[in-house]
């Protein structure tokens, strides 16, 4: 089983360079669509803007579905101050402090990209002294625009207005020791893994056991990612990050298999099947529970769809912050998915 980790990382970096906060995912989705088609998969876009890429299997009567989401966290302009700064709302569930000091783009309605930085109102220690440690919250954070603006009118003249998206720099890095660091590994790393799986089957001229749909959702961070499941799908796996940290069982070298998340337990027999596959093939894994987390699989379960559901993925430290995993976890995730599909 030859997994091309360089291909995964290159695809991941490419997707990370395309801003795609929830509600602004078209460009990134079309890039993924092009990559699936390069490996011969049939693709379609849903009315909601998600992508389905289909790989024909030996059994075309029963289908499986593997999901990952292209949407990320981000921000949206909700007010312009009299001194030319931006107030903003979060898109998705990050903490206010996690983005302090980050550089960003403001993307106007007409596609113009303008640089800025996210800072607290009381940023300067030389002006505010102890007050610089005031809580980071919606009322205390601003986007400072890197243009000569001093009033609301100046900002409007740049083309910036209410409803424009704010996209943070990802600062992606792969270290010599094998660690992969970036904002938004959740879940563009998983998207890259699914494209690599498509490459593997295509270039080796192999069919999976069942016809497989790769569903790239575009509203997962908001909680309504998957809609329009192909009719014959019997099982689905959401490929999403495992959570590394205090109170968690996952580690950055293993594939994480979810037993339960903040919405629901996952199917016990399906989870056991994945564990059996991992053990039979010497794939390093951890089973874990996530308290403040949900996936496309549990979103589908909430819709009342009669589809069996599971979730697994690379284990990520500092989720929804400056995230990190290891190439080992990426490889173990890819191996488990390939063995499942075979």
């Amino acid at each position: 089983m030859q997994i091309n980790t360089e291909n995964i990382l290159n695809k991941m970096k490419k997707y990370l360079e395309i801003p795609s906060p929830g509600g602004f995912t078209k460009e990134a989705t079309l890039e993924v669509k092009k990559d699936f088609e390069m490996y011969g998969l049939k693709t379609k876009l849903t009315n909601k803007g998600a992508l389905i890429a289909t790989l024909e299997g030996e059994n075309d009567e029963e289908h499986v579905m593997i999901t990952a989401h292209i949407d990320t966290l981000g921000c949206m302009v909700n007010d312009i101050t009299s001194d030319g700064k931006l107030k903003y709302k979060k898109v998705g569930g990050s903490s206010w402090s996690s983005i302090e000091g980050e550089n960003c783009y403001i993307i106007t309605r007409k596609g113009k990209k303008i640089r800025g930085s996210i800072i607290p109102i009381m940023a300067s220690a030389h002006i505010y002294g102890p007050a610089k440690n005031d809580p980071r919250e919606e009322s205390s954070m601003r986007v400072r625009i890197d243009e000569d603006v001093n009033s609301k009118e100046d900002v409007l003249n740049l083309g910036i207005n209410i409803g424009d998206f704010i996209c943070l720099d990802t600062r992606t890095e792969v270290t010599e020791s094998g660690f992969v660091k970036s904002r938004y590994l959740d879940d563009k790393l998983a998207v890259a893994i699914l494209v690599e799986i498509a490459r593997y089957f295509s270039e080796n001229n192999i069919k999976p056991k069942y016809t497989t749909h790769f569903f790239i959702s575009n509203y997962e961070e908001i909680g309504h990612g998957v809609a329009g499941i192909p009719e014959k799908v019997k099982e689905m796996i959401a490929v999403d990050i495992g959570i590394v940290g205090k109170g968690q069982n996952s580690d950055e070298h293993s594939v994480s298999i979810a037993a339960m998340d903040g919405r629901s337990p996952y199917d016990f027999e399906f989870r056991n099947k994945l564990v059996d596959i991992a053990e039979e093939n010497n794939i390093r894994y951890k089973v874990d529970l996530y308290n403040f987390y949900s996936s496309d699989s549990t979103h589908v379960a909430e819709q009342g769809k009669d589809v069996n559901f599971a979730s697994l993925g690379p284990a990520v430290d500092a989720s929804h912050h400056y995230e990190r995993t290891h190439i080992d976890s990426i490889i173990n995730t890819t191996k488990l998915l390939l063995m499942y599909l075979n």
Side-chain angles (χ1 to χ4, degrees):
M1 183 183 295
Q2 294 297 318
I3 295 170
N4 189 336
T5 54
E6 184 176 355
N7 186 50
I8 295 173
L9 294 175
N10 286 340
K11 291 289 193 298
M12 176 198 75
K13 291 174 184 176
K14 180 173 70 167
Y15 304 148
L16 285 166
E17 288 173 359
I18 305 173
S20 59
F24 189 79
T25 58
K26 183 177 180 179
E27 182 183 354
T29 300
L30 291 178
E31 189 64 30
V32 179
K33 180 177 184 290
K34 183 176 69 176
D35 287 340
F36 275 125
E37 289 172 348
M38 179 174 65
Y39 297 126
L41 276 69
K42 296 178 181 178
T43 64
K44 63 172 286 188
L45 294 172
T46 70
N47 292 328
K48 199 172 166 183
L51 171 66
I52 303 175
T54 301
L55 182 63
E56 184 181 344
E58 294 174 0
N59 182 339
D60 192 46
E61 295 305 311
E62 296 183 6
H63 295 188
V64 300
M65 186 168 78
I66 313 294
T67 75
H69 63 91
I70 196 66
D71 62 304
T72 70
L73 307 175
C75 310
M76 183 179 285
V77 178
N78 80 316
D79 197 9
I80 303 170
T81 65
S82 59
D83 63 346
K85 292 185 174 64
L86 304 178
K87 297 181 181 180
Y88 61 92
K89 295 281 188 180
K90 293 185 295 181
V91 176
S94 62
S95 64
W96 292 101
S97 62
S98 71
I99 57 178
E100 179 180 345
E102 190 60 88
N103 292 317
C104 62
Y105 282 104
I106 305 103
I107 304 180
T108 72
R109 186 178 68 83
K110 295 188 176 180
K112 183 179 179 182
K113 294 182 179 181
I114 299 167
R115 290 295 276 170
S117 305
I118 295 179
I119 57 172
I121 295 173
M122 297 182 182
S124 174
H126 295 98
I127 295 175
Y128 298 104
K132 68 182 184 296
N133 296 317
D134 280 2
R136 275 36 176 171
E137 54 194 19
E138 184 174 334
S139 63
S140 66
M141 302 293 285
R142 297 288 186 270
V143 178
R144 179 184 61 195
I145 304 168
D146 294 330
E147 298 287 343
D148 190 10
V149 291
N150 298 288
S151 67
K152 180 175 181 177
E153 184 179 10
D154 289 340
V155 175
L156 292 172
N157 287 337
L158 283 175
I160 296 173
N161 215 321
I162 309 304
D164 289 344
F165 283 95
I166 301 164
C167 304
L168 278 62
D169 289 0
T170 61
R171 291 187 287 124
T172 305
E173 180 182 345
V174 180
T175 71
E176 291 184 4
S177 55
F179 285 100
V180 181
K181 305 188 293 183
S182 183
R183 291 190 185 275
Y184 313 142
L185 295 179
D186 178 11
D187 197 31
K188 291 186 175 180
L189 172 55
V191 174
I193 288 172
L194 299 197
V195 172
E196 165 60 14
I197 290 170
R199 181 209 64 81
Y200 175 88
F201 281 103
S202 174
E203 293 188 357
N204 289 288
N205 197 27
I206 302 170
K207 284 186 175 183
K209 185 173 181 181
Y210 300 99
T211 292
T212 300
H213 304 282
F214 298 104
F215 195 112
I216 307 303
S217 66
N218 58 333
Y219 282 101
E220 191 276 346
E221 293 290 4
I222 318 302
H224 55 88
V226 174
I229 295 174
E231 183 179 355
K232 295 181 181 180
V233 170
K234 305 298 183 186
E235 290 184 345
M236 69 171 290
I237 297 175
V239 185
D240 213 325
I241 59 169
I243 309 303
V244 174
K246 184 178 179 180
Q248 298 298 147
N249 191 42
S250 299
D251 67 70
E252 290 174 87
H253 297 271
S254 304
V255 54
S256 292
I257 300 172
M260 185 170 74
D261 68 17
R263 274 183 157 93
S264 170
Y266 290 85
D267 182 77
F268 179 67
E269 283 74 21
F270 197 173
R271 188 234 301 178
N272 273 352
K273 178 166 71 173
L274 294 170
V275 169
D276 288 343
I277 292 170
E279 291 183 347
E280 290 164 7
N281 292 278
N282 297 314
I283 297 169
R284 182 170 169 177
Y285 76 93
K286 291 290 183 68
V287 173
D288 211 349
L289 284 70
Y290 312 131
N291 296 318
F292 306 103
Y293 178 107
S294 60
S295 74
D296 277 325
S297 278
T298 43
H299 298 165
V300 167
E302 280 192 320
Q303 295 171 24
K305 302 294 185 183
D306 186 19
V307 175
N308 206 354
F309 61 106
S311 182
L312 61 87
V316 167
D317 182 65
S319 59
H320 282 199
H321 203 287
Y322 186 51
E323 299 171 335
R324 190 185 78 168
T325 190
H326 194 276
I327 289 173
D328 290 349
S329 185
I330 297 170
I331 292 171
N332 284 317
T333 298
T334 310
K335 283 183 176 178
L336 180 53
L337 289 165
L338 282 170
M339 296 309 299
Y340 164 77
L341 291 174
N342 277 322

